[in-house]
Amino acid sequence: MKITTHRVSAPLHTPFITALRTATHVESLLVEVSDGELSGWGEAPQVWKVTGDSLAGSQACIEGPITTALDGLGPDDLTEALRRVQGAAVGNFGAKDAVDVALHDLAARRRGQTLHGFLGSTVDLVRTDVTLSVGDAAALATAGRDRVADGFDVLKIKVGTDAVGDIERVRRVREAIGPEPRLRLDANQGWTRRDAVRVIRALEDAGCAIELVEQPVAAADLDGMAWVTDRVSTPILADESVYGVRDLVAVIRQGAADLVNVKLAKCGGLAPARTLLELAREHGLGAIVGCMMESHVGVGAAAALVSAYPTTTVNDLDAAWWLREAPVTGIRYDGSLIHLPSAPGLGVTGLTA
Ligand SMILES: [Mg+2]
């Protein structure tokens, strides 16, 4: 098998603004695993602020230890290849994710199957939420109305910057969009445990009907997250606290959250993600699948996963919706619905530019 990496830069139709940065492009690393005839594709997103993975680091890991680990293996030895990818290096979840997905994609193509069909799904549609860019209360309210008009019925608001302002911003968005659309919050570790309880209870008392609150406190503070989970009615979703199985077991043991957000770029691909989703289900923990700012390859793999392994609520797979031009063919958005491709694998036929 031949492994090739491609750096891509895809422009967004609308700047994506978070508390940490303003993005106008998605910079990403695509990987192509070829058997000489067919190619499987995967993606390693750049995620400095969460996993620490960079394009340069992922490229070095893929071209170095992962390529070495796969040396001499044939494309039909999927289980062994996936095992070697995970063992090739410590960390580097983006690199492992990219090659794990590319190997699955290639295996599906060699059988003439879609990736989601290969994973066991018969469903061609999955739902996603959409995140509102960070702004003041008025800008958020406008963005909320715009996204509902775009066909989204589950909106996610980034909070966690200042507790008092957060309450006001969320109330204004709820007022602007009316009672129907679902509203979920992501604090990205930004609150103290006391702030978290204060804000969430205030929103409960104000009747804002928040579906769930993601990562209210610091990733390493499982005690704090358990403290919050015990004191509010709104479900708590662990994101940055959970990369792999060991983290998920700790969350389950401590009762630290009600749900877990599984992301391919945190756990290292489809094989580890399936393990996490099965573990969550066995222990009665809710789950969603999310993504980083990445293109149709990474989001398409996550969408294929949830179509085969249903999660307990709407997933967080809007990243590729923000792209003005797709760097590859594959999934297609229709408001909150993601159409999975009917072409083999991820439906990628090569780079479009
Ligand atoms: Mg999150």
Side-chain angles (χ1 to χ4, degrees), residues 7-333:
R7 288 205 192 196
V8 294
S9 173
L12 308 186
H13 53 67
T14 310
F16 185 70
I17 305 161
T18 71
L20 298 171
R21 65 190 184 118
T22 296
T24 58
H25 285 70
V26 167
E27 312 288 340
S28 207
L29 183 75
L30 299 184
V31 59
E32 185 180 359
V33 177
S34 167
D35 64 0
E37 198 177 326
L38 299 169
S39 287
W41 292 79
E43 178 166 10
Q46 179 142 276
V47 203
W48 289 115
K49 294 286 188 179
V50 183
T51 62
D53 284 339
S54 65
L55 301 188
S58 294
Q59 191 169 9
C61 183
I62 292 166
E63 292 172 356
I66 291 180
T67 295
T68 304
L70 294 176
D71 191 33
L73 266 193
D76 289 324
D77 225 343
L78 180 62
T79 306
E80 175 61 13
L82 295 174
R83 196 188 64 75
R84 290 195 192 179
V85 168
Q86 297 303 323
V90 169
N92 285 282
F93 301 108
K96 292 172 183 171
D97 165 19
V99 179
D100 166 293
V101 167
L103 289 166
H104 278 96
D105 187 29
L106 178 60
R109 277 165 190 265
R110 286 170 61 84
R111 292 191 186 189
Q113 281 184 297
T114 62
L115 178 60
H116 55 287
F118 179 75
L119 296 174
S121 168
T122 53
V123 180
D124 294 333
L125 284 177
V126 300
R127 288 177 70 201
T128 181
D129 66 8
V130 68
T131 297
L132 304 184
S133 280
V134 166
D136 61 19
L140 275 174
T142 303
R145 275 191 296 260
D146 288 349
R147 294 296 92 86
V148 171
D150 286 330
F152 290 99
D153 53 4
V154 184
L155 307 188
K156 172 164 148 177
I157 307 179
K158 295 281 192 182
V159 291
T161 42
D162 72 300
V164 175
D166 284 337
I167 298 170
E168 177 58 16
R169 282 187 287 273
V170 174
R171 287 178 55 163
R172 288 282 296 277
V173 173
R174 174 52 85 195
E175 245 174 58
I177 62 175
E180 284 299 318
R182 257 191 257 173
L183 205 50
R184 46 176 67 167
L185 310 182
D186 189 350
N188 286 120
Q189 317 181 52
W191 291 325
T192 63
R193 61 173 76 180
R194 288 180 194 283
D195 275 347
V197 170
R198 191 157 61 96
V199 173
I200 296 167
R201 282 189 178 169
L203 293 170
E204 288 172 353
D205 292 344
C208 284
I210 300 305
E211 182 201 9
L212 56 86
V213 174
E214 188 167 346
Q215 200 64 46
V217 298
D221 186 14
L222 283 195
D223 288 342
M225 197 150 69
W227 194 86
V228 174
T229 300
D230 277 346
R231 282 165 180 75
V232 298
S233 310
T234 308
I236 301 298
L237 168 66
D239 180 8
E240 291 95 323
S241 290
V242 178
Y243 279 50
V245 166
R246 194 161 51 176
D247 307 321
L248 184 55
V249 168
V251 165
I252 291 167
R253 284 214 173 115
Q254 291 204 38
D258 302 290
L259 307 100
V260 59
N261 188 343
V262 173
K263 294 178 178 168
L264 301 180
K266 283 190 303 180
C267 68
L270 292 165
R274 279 199 301 265
T275 305
L276 290 171
L277 290 175
E278 281 164 4
L279 184 63
R281 195 178 50 201
E282 277 165 23
H283 289 269
L285 197 74
I288 71 166
V289 169
C291 59
M292 305 298 182
M293 273 316 271
E294 52 192 308
S295 82
H296 297 67
V297 175
V299 178
L305 174 70
V306 297
S307 79
Y309 292 78
T311 49
T312 56
T313 183
V314 174
N315 298 289
D316 183 20
L317 299 174
D318 61 326
W321 176 80
W322 293 83
L323 298 182
R324 194 172 67 213
E325 295 151 27
V328 294
T329 47
I331 54 165
R332 184 170 61 75
Y333 288 86

